[in-house]
Amino acid sequence: MFGEKVTLKEHKLSVHYFCLLTSCGVYQRGEEGEGVFGFLVDDIKQETRRSARLTCCCCKKKGACVGCNVRSCRKTIHFPCGRKQQFISQFSGLFPSFCPDHSPTQSLCVGSDLSLPQTCSICLDPIEPVLCYSILKCPSCHNSWFHRDCVQRQAHSAGLFFFRCTLCNNKESFQEEMLRMGIYIPESWFELIRCRLCGSGGTHRKCSGLKLDTNNWACSDCTQATDGRASLVASPQGGQRRSLLSKRNMSPIHSPISCKRPSLSVRSGSSEELLQALASQLRPLSVQVEVDRDGALSAGVELVRRADFDPTHTLSVRFKGNRRTSLTNSLQDSNMAKQYFLKLLVRQIQDSVVFEGPDGSKNLALNSQALREDLYFDVGCLLALSLVHGGPPVGFFSRALYQCLFNYPPNQPLTVAHMTPDTALTRQVSRIAEAKSLNELKEVMAANWQYLELAGCNRPISRLEEREALVEDLVSFTLITRVQLPLQRFREGLQTLGVFDQVQLFPSAFCSVFCEASVWLTARSLGQLFSINFSQQEVRLNRELPVVTFWRHFLLECEVGRSSISLQDLLRFVTGAEEFPAAGFLPSPSISFLHPVISSPPEAELEEEEEEEEEEEEGTGRPGRDVWSDEGLFPQRETTSRHLLLPVTSSYQAFKSSMEQVVSHHVHLLPTES
């Protein structure tokens, strides 16, 4: 239960392996043969001293080294006590643990008639098909239910190579799900690998020191026959190996022992912070995406279906086609092109055959062609990609779809109001729900017997009170069971870059991202977006302070329509986006100032500044002396760093005129929505 117990007599130290792996403040900094499986003795002792001050929330004794991985949660516990208190420890990555309040859960997917007797697919004892800590299910077939203890015993027996669902035989997604739910899967070091040339010779992975992901091996006979060129993998006897259970601290902090989580660890916070943590996976390597304005979705689908597609690569977008002349210099900027592409992509996904319903409240549709083309997976992948790469909020999910995907609000029954309006199925269920008498209910059921038969609900009704249960079953069939395969493929697409897991852990934080339209820009929200960098020289600072007032007043006029440009135009001018991205802006937009060029030589300007400072100190400053020309001063932007340079002008009218000229010119160069 607690892993191998290791005793180091010379250090008077005994530890369980799982206690080491799940401790918050210790990492494997040594080689596999050093200390205890790579955990150095000094690190273990330091972790013992750290945890000696922490009290277990179960037994109330000191030495609680395991903490909940959600940063805002302060619960700490001993690893054995955690098993009793239903803590979930994941045996992968950095081996995080979660308390019952923050532990991962499985989504309720009705794939079979749950009224039939259910049994554990391993021990065959009766089982109540209600997802909880002790009851797990297969993520692929949805018909296999397990006792947690049974599936853990099977994992111990089968090992990594043979551990799979006992019913559908799925291995990859089943193992991934069981690891997420805290099942420990031992490694398969005695898997037999055949020679890739003759096929008659073989070796155990452990005997030849092969890694678990290595399938390319050649026997010694074939290696000798080809002068050593046959084997792409050396196979020294007793070669050193590295366990999959490797807990390496990837934090950039060079402390010998760090209690801090890496950027991808689960933590509480806003959706922007959580998405920014996921965005840390992105790499500077770029992938080229060529887009026709009307074909953003097709370009996205083509991207994710590439054999070499990697979601961590930065998107480099180039617009093509007959309308390229309208996408002039402004949109050829890489950041603005990407922002415009992601905006079009989300809009075209909303209007695709994958969804149905009114704008802003879409349910998942059942489309046979989309199923054949696996478009549900592609669309889920693209939405996850857009969120992490700086695209706009999704904003068009219905509350019912969000609940079906992430069980939020938890365990709330779906009603007729959640169904897609003005469809044949919705009208049939509505007529059943609105029946006023038993005879009327039977007449409506008789008229819709084919739909009831398909839903498995064509049962005799003897009382009007049975109508509610019938309607609930029909709604569940329409919104969940009928679209079970599309829902599953859509979920798997949303797994891209870890988006689905993050949303499932914090569904309340992400609900507005998926279900609510973007918040309308205001002068206040746009003003708070920018940080202001003032000059260090006092003379320049005195000129910049009035410009900040000009800027804030200009934002207010843009908001109320007293300017020829809008707040959206301003935001797009600086960032390339017309609304705040779901992940926020990285780097954060900033403002500095563009001062007029002084015609006098630098020495004279310096002397003048010194004279002005002296006059200010003496209180004899001469009014009207600080006058400069406003001509030729226009705002400038650095789109990569999202930096705006405001012109330092002598009056608000000059400032407003300068801003409107440049931003209006930029807006006219961009494509219109028509």
Side-chain angles (χ1 to χ4, degrees):
M1 286 185 65
F2 311 135
E4 180 181 352
K5 186 176 181 179
V6 180
T7 299
L8 301 178
K9 293 183 180 180
E10 63 275 20
H11 297 286
K12 298 180 180 181
L13 186 68
S14 293
V15 291
H16 287 117
Y17 187 32
F18 290 173
C19 295
L20 267 180
L21 289 173
T22 56
S23 295
C24 294
V26 63
Y27 299 90
Q28 289 168 294
R29 298 194 303 117
E31 298 299 327
E32 296 298 318
E34 296 184 78
V36 181
F37 301 109
F39 290 94
L40 302 181
V41 174
D42 291 341
D43 293 353
I44 298 174
K45 290 182 177 179
Q46 185 167 340
E47 173 64 2
T48 303
R49 291 191 294 269
R50 183 193 73 87
S51 60
R53 301 189 299 270
L54 303 176
T55 303
C56 175
C57 63
C58 175
C59 67
K60 308 303 179 184
K61 296 180 180 179
K62 299 291 186 180
C65 60
V66 179
C68 181
N69 197 39
V70 176
R71 181 173 295 181
S72 62
C73 183
R74 310 297 297 177
K75 292 180 181 177
T76 56
I77 202 166
H78 300 109
F79 181 78
C81 294
R83 288 296 180 91
K84 299 177 184 178
Q85 295 296 314
Q86 299 186 354
F87 269 62
I88 287 182
S89 296
Q90 295 177 346
F91 292 91
S92 61
L94 288 178
F95 298 83
S97 298
F98 303 92
C99 70
D101 294 334
H102 302 107
S103 59
T105 58
Q106 292 186 295
S107 300
L108 183 60
C109 302
V110 183
S112 60
D113 189 355
L114 296 181
S115 63
L116 296 175
Q118 297 289 325
T119 60
C120 174
S121 298
I122 297 175
C123 70
L124 302 183
D125 285 344
I127 192 172
E128 186 68 23
V130 178
L131 292 173
C132 58
Y133 175 80
S134 59
I135 304 297
L136 304 174
K137 68 174 181 64
C138 175
S140 298
C141 62
H142 304 298
N143 292 318
S144 292
W145 295 75
F146 311 95
H147 296 111
R148 174 179 286 271
D149 292 340
C150 291
V151 77
Q152 181 61 82
R153 282 195 296 271
Q154 185 203 13
H156 276 132
S157 174
L160 191 67
F161 183 69
F162 295 102
F163 183 52
R164 61 193 68 203
C165 176
T166 54
L167 189 62
C168 69
N169 211 33
N170 180 276
K171 177 181 176 181
E172 183 177 350
S173 60
F174 179 73
Q175 288 190 5
E176 182 180 349
E177 179 71 359
M178 293 303 107
L179 282 172
R180 189 178 71 86
M181 297 306 297
I183 299 299
Y184 165 61
I185 309 174
E187 299 162 351
S188 304
W189 291 109
F190 294 98
E191 178 190 355
L192 195 62
I193 304 297
R194 291 183 179 273
C195 174
R196 69 182 184 90
L197 295 180
C198 66
S200 59
T203 182
H204 290 122
R205 288 191 182 276
K206 186 172 184 179
C207 294
S208 292
L210 302 180
K211 295 181 179 179
L212 287 172
D213 58 351
T214 299
N215 295 306
N216 199 359
W217 174 83
C219 65
S220 57
D221 292 340
C222 294
T223 303
Q224 293 174 5
T226 57
D227 296 328
R229 292 191 294 271
S231 179
L232 301 180
V233 179
S235 56
Q237 295 295 325
Q240 284 208 348
R241 63 177 177 85
R242 171 160 292 178
S243 170
L244 272 185
L245 296 183
S246 177
K247 185 183 181 184
R248 304 285 166 178
N249 183 17
M250 304 305 292
S251 172
I253 302 175
H254 299 290
S255 171
I257 294 183
S258 175
C259 297
K260 294 191 175 181
R261 301 289 178 181
S263 58
L264 287 181
S265 66
V266 179
R267 64 176 189 265
S268 61
S270 65
S271 58
E272 290 85 357
E273 293 174 333
L274 296 168
L275 287 174
Q276 287 173 10
L278 295 177
S280 64
Q281 304 170 81
L282 303 183
R283 295 182 288 170
L285 295 174
S286 64
V287 56
Q288 183 73 33
V289 184
E290 293 193 349
V291 186
D292 186 355
R293 183 184 168 199
D294 295 329
L297 177 56
S298 59
V301 170
E302 181 183 353
L303 170 67
V304 299
R305 290 180 180 177
R306 293 180 189 174
D308 59 345
F309 169 66
D310 187 338
T312 64
H313 287 178
T314 304
L315 300 180
S316 177
V317 179
R318 184 179 70 86
F319 281 84
K320 62 177 183 178
N322 297 331
R323 302 192 182 189
R324 186 175 179 181
T325 54
S326 65
L327 305 169
T328 51
N329 297 331
S330 296
L331 201 53
Q332 298 310 310
D333 174 81
S334 59
N335 183 58
M336 290 198 170
K338 184 181 76 170
Q339 294 288 346
Y340 188 64
F341 163 65
L342 294 177
K343 172 187 172 183
L344 292 177
L345 178 64
V346 173
R347 182 177 302 171
Q348 291 178 18
I349 286 176
Q350 178 182 191
D351 298 333
S352 69
V353 296
V354 169
F355 297 98
E356 64 180 10
D359 290 344
S361 183
K362 297 282 189 177
N363 287 325
L364 212 58
L366 180 59
N367 186 281
S368 58
Q369 183 177 355
L371 272 175
R372 286 195 303 271
E373 298 175 355
D374 204 14
L375 189 59
Y376 293 95
F377 176 87
D378 297 333
V379 165
C381 179
L382 287 171
L383 287 178
L385 201 71
S386 174
L387 288 174
V388 178
H389 281 260
V394 177
F396 62 80
F397 279 24
S398 68
R399 298 285 177 169
L401 176 57
Y402 194 77
Q403 183 175 341
C404 292
L405 288 169
F406 306 110
N407 191 27
Y408 181 83
N411 304 320
Q412 292 292 323
L414 297 172
T415 66
V416 181
H418 290 109
M419 297 179 65
T420 305
D422 299 325
T423 66
L425 298 182
T426 304
R427 288 191 289 269
Q428 293 180 51
V429 179
S430 298
R431 283 196 290 268
I432 294 175
E434 295 167 359
K436 304 299 183 186
S437 64
L438 181 59
N439 289 335
E440 182 182 353
L441 177 59
K442 289 183 177 180
E443 290 177 2
V444 175
M445 291 178 63
N448 299 284
W449 69 270
Q450 291 178 322
Y451 174 54
L452 293 173
E453 190 74 27
L454 181 65
C457 299
N458 194 15
R459 54 183 183 250
I461 299 294
S462 58
R463 296 180 304 155
L464 184 61
E465 288 74 15
E466 298 178 26
R467 176 190 57 188
E468 283 72 20
L470 176 62
V471 170
E472 185 176 339
D473 290 344
L474 289 172
V475 172
S476 178
F477 169 78
T478 306
L479 293 178
I480 301 178
T481 309
R482 186 178 65 96
V483 291
Q484 186 59 236
L485 182 56
L487 270 174
Q488 181 63 26
R489 293 302 291 159
F490 188 55
R491 284 192 192 97
E492 292 170 358
L494 285 172
Q495 291 279 3
T496 304
L497 293 171
V499 171
F500 182 86
D501 291 338
Q502 201 78 308
V503 178
Q504 194 173 42
L505 281 170
F506 303 101
S508 59
F510 282 93
C511 187
S512 59
V513 174
F514 285 88
C515 300
E516 296 178 8
S518 301
V519 178
W520 191 255
L521 277 179
T522 64
R524 181 176 182 179
S525 63
L526 187 57
Q528 291 175 342
L529 180 65
F530 291 87
S531 60
I532 301 178
N533 304 320
F534 289 103
S535 300
Q536 297 295 323
Q537 297 179 1
E538 186 174 357
V539 174
R540 285 179 174 262
L541 176 61
N542 291 335
R543 295 174 179 175
E544 292 167 358
L545 290 175
V547 177
V548 175
T549 305
F550 297 164
W551 163 251
R552 292 170 179 165
H553 186 63
F554 182 65
L555 293 179
L556 289 172
E557 290 202 340
C558 292
E559 181 179 12
V560 299
R562 294 180 181 174
S563 173
S564 60
I565 62 175
S566 65
L567 294 176
Q568 285 74 22
D569 296 334
L570 269 177
L571 183 64
R572 185 165 58 169
F573 173 72
V574 182
T575 67
E578 293 184 1
E579 54 190 334
F580 294 162
F585 290 105
L586 281 178
S588 179
S590 60
I591 286 176
S592 60
F593 301 90
L594 185 65
H595 287 262
V597 178
I598 306 298
S599 57
S600 56
E603 295 80 4
E605 180 184 356
L606 182 60
E607 292 176 0
E608 182 179 353
E609 290 179 353
E610 292 175 351
E611 291 177 3
E612 290 178 354
E613 291 176 0
E614 293 175 359
E615 291 172 354
E616 287 177 0
E617 292 176 359
E618 298 172 0
T620 59
R622 289 169 288 177
R625 179 172 180 176
D626 193 15
V627 178
W628 64 89
S629 173
D630 294 329
E631 295 182 0
L633 280 180
F634 296 100
Q636 298 179 12
R637 60 191 172 93
E638 299 170 2
T639 54
T640 304
S641 59
R642 297 187 175 93
H643 185 65
L644 174 64
L645 286 87
L646 295 178
V648 176
T649 59
S650 58
S651 67
Y652 173 71
Q653 289 302 324
F655 177 85
K656 179 180 179 181
S657 174
S658 174
M659 294 292 296
E660 287 181 337
Q661 287 185 54
V662 172
V663 178
S664 296
H665 177 71
H666 167 77
V667 170
H668 290 320
L669 290 179
L670 291 175
T672 62
E673 297 297 327
S674 58

